[in-house]
Amino acid sequence: MKSPSALGSAPATAVPETPGGALKAFVGAIEQGNVALAATCVSRDGCLITPDATAINGRDAIRAILNQLVKLRLRVEGNSTHWVVAGDIALGRGVWQSRSEHNGTELAQQWNATIVLRRRDQAWRIQIIAPWEAAS
């Protein structure tokens, strides 16, 4: 396992000026255990889709999921996200590999992830993130 991960290598205090930079800041904050910083990477009215396809709406509600990811010691590596940017909206699609720990057991998984970011005030923030579609 790489540390820091390919995704999480952005400085924790950097203002995300690109969609990829915003994603790196988000994952880096989770990997560092900084839920408050990870939550600021999400738009106030953002949406996170859980593994069972439940839509979690709003930054405050998403923060609870981020807490769970931190407790699992989530690490994301080997990201191959491709971006399409149109004005202040970016669509990312890619395959992510993750590692986490649960009850002392390391879990390795691969996901097809979809992410939508929106730029406001010169910074990109996550609007919709659906990282848990099982890869075939």
Side-chain angles (χ1 to χ4, degrees), residues 1-121:
M1 178 167 41
K2 299 175 188 173
S3 183
S5 75
L7 264 181
S9 58
T13 58
V15 174
E17 296 179 0
T18 66
L23 183 57
K24 285 181 182 181
F26 176 71
V27 171
I30 291 170
E31 291 180 349
Q32 294 168 18
N34 191 335
V35 173
L37 182 59
T40 65
C41 295
V42 177
S43 295
R44 284 189 180 93
D45 59 347
C47 178
L48 181 142
I49 308 298
T50 66
D52 67 354
T54 301
I56 307 298
N57 292 293
R59 186 184 289 164
D60 291 336
I62 291 170
R63 190 182 319 264
I65 302 297
L66 299 178
N67 271 315
Q68 292 176 22
L69 297 177
V70 165
K71 287 178 184 176
L72 290 172
R73 300 179 64 174
L74 178 74
R75 299 289 178 263
V76 178
E77 49 193 43
N79 169 24
S80 60
T81 302
H82 301 280
W83 296 99
V84 175
V85 179
D88 291 335
I89 303 293
L91 172 66
R93 184 91 171 117
V95 177
W96 300 356
Q97 292 82 36
S98 68
R99 294 189 184 279
S100 58
E101 294 177 21
H102 183 68
N103 294 331
T105 303
E106 184 174 273
L107 305 170
Q109 298 173 307
Q110 183 169 298
W111 308 102
N112 290 319
T114 301
I115 182 169
V116 176
L117 288 93
R118 181 170 45 178
R119 183 172 41 199
R120 284 190 183 161
D121 301 323

